[in-house]
């Protein structure tokens, strides 16, 4: 049931990026008049008129941490030995690919709306990782498969999901755009559920 629930919520992420243009058209005034583009929007390549400073920062921060979770989970798909860890990595890859696709669509509304999830390219992932993220990826790539790898991966996910939660909570306090806020609420719920799964795995791996 958890797996079905996670998949259903992930699929729901695609809905706002389809509804956003219509919502903007029905609003009392253009999106650019209500929420003008900001310096953060220009610096991070956010072309959506509805994205203000808070929205641009939220998208950039979520992308940086989310793509790290994606790449480390792709490594775990190949190296993880614990079945629960491998299953979580599979769910995390699907989730982060969806979130990356949604954020890209919301940043650049010139991209045609689509019900299909387009995973970010390897170059996109690499270009969005910070120095700490690249170091973690390199560490997991060099690590041997086994219990120690599983524990290291789960610990990195615990830390990453805490960062992701803090990013969502911060935006929910400052955000203005309805669609961005609604997507963020869904993301927050997904992150909290993943945190519970990670804590369960952490306890299990500590006993193994």
């Amino acid at each position: 049931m958890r797996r079905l629930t996670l998949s259903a919520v992930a699929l729901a992420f695609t809905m706002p990026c389809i509804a956003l243009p219509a919502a903007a058209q029905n609003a009392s005034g253009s999106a650019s008049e209500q929420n003008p583009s900001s310096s953060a929007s220009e610096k991070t390549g956010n072309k959506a008129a509805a994205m203000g400073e808070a929205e641009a920062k939220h998208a950039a921060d979520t992308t940086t941490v989310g793509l790290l979770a994606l790449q480390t989970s792709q490594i775990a798909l190949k190296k993880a030995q614990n079945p629960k860890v491998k299953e979580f990595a599979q769910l995390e890859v699907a989730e982060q690919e969806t979130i990356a696709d949604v954020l890209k669509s919301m940043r650049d509304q010139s991209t045609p709306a689509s019900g299909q999830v387009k995973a970010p390219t390897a170059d996109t992932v690499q270009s969005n990782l910070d120095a700490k993220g690249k170091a973690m990826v390199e560490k997991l790539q060099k690590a041997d498969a086994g219990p120690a790898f599983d524990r290291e991966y789960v610990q990195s996910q615990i830390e990453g999901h805490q960062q992701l939660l803090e990013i969502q909570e911060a935006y929910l306090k400052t955000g203005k755009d309805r669609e961005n806020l609604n997507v963020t609420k869904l993301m927050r719920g997904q992150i909290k559920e993943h945190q519970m799964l990670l804590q369960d795995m952490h306890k299990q791996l500590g006993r193994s």
Side-chain angles (χ1 to χ4, degrees):
M1 287 300 295
R2 278 183 174 177
R3 187 170 184 176
L4 290 173
T5 301
L6 291 172
S7 298
V9 174
L11 180 61
F13 285 155
T14 60
M15 296 174 65
C17 65
I18 296 173
L20 183 58
Q25 292 173 3
N26 293 333
S28 57
S30 68
S32 59
E33 291 172 345
Q34 294 177 27
N35 200 355
S37 60
S38 64
S39 58
S41 294
E42 294 168 0
K43 290 178 182 177
T44 57
N46 294 318
K47 301 176 183 178
M51 267 202 179
E53 198 79 24
E55 286 72 31
K57 185 178 188 308
H58 169 254
D61 291 348
T62 300
T63 297
T64 296
V65 181
L67 291 184
L68 174 59
L70 171 60
Q71 185 153 18
T72 53
S73 295
Q74 289 171 333
I75 297 170
L77 281 179
K78 299 176 182 178
K79 290 190 175 184
Q81 293 186 340
N82 184 287
K84 292 293 184 182
V85 175
K86 189 175 287 290
E87 182 180 22
F88 179 86
Q90 186 175 17
L91 290 172
E92 190 66 18
V93 167
E95 179 199 61
Q96 294 303 335
E97 286 181 345
T98 301
I99 291 174
D101 184 61
V102 170
L103 290 176
K104 180 180 179 182
S105 177
M106 295 181 78
R107 286 199 305 269
D108 185 1
Q109 293 183 42
S110 65
T111 302
S114 171
Q116 300 298 315
V117 174
K118 186 175 181 180
T121 65
D123 287 342
T124 297
V125 174
Q126 281 297 312
S127 65
N128 278 279
L129 295 182
D130 57 19
K132 184 178 179 181
K134 290 178 180 178
M136 174 56 68
V137 168
E138 184 177 0
K139 183 178 182 179
L140 291 179
Q141 285 174 334
K142 292 181 178 179
D144 294 328
F149 172 89
D150 290 356
R151 286 192 290 268
E152 185 72 38
Y153 166 69
V154 169
Q155 183 60 40
S156 73
Q157 290 296 315
I158 289 174
E159 294 172 4
H161 278 69
Q162 183 57 40
Q163 283 183 277
L164 282 170
L165 181 61
E166 291 171 0
I167 292 167
Q168 311 320 307
E169 296 285 9
Y171 174 67
L172 289 172
K173 294 177 182 178
T174 60
K176 303 297 182 183
D177 181 69
R178 183 187 302 274
E179 284 73 21
N180 277 275
L181 286 168
N182 287 335
V183 169
T184 301
K185 291 173 187 176
L186 289 171
M187 289 169 62
R188 178 177 60 180
Q190 186 86 336
I191 291 165
K192 287 184 176 181
E193 187 164 355
H194 276 206
Q195 285 182 315
M196 290 189 290
L197 294 173
L198 287 163
Q199 289 299 334
D200 287 344
M201 284 187 291
H202 186 264
K203 291 177 183 178
Q204 179 187 350
L205 292 171
R207 293 192 296 267
S208 60

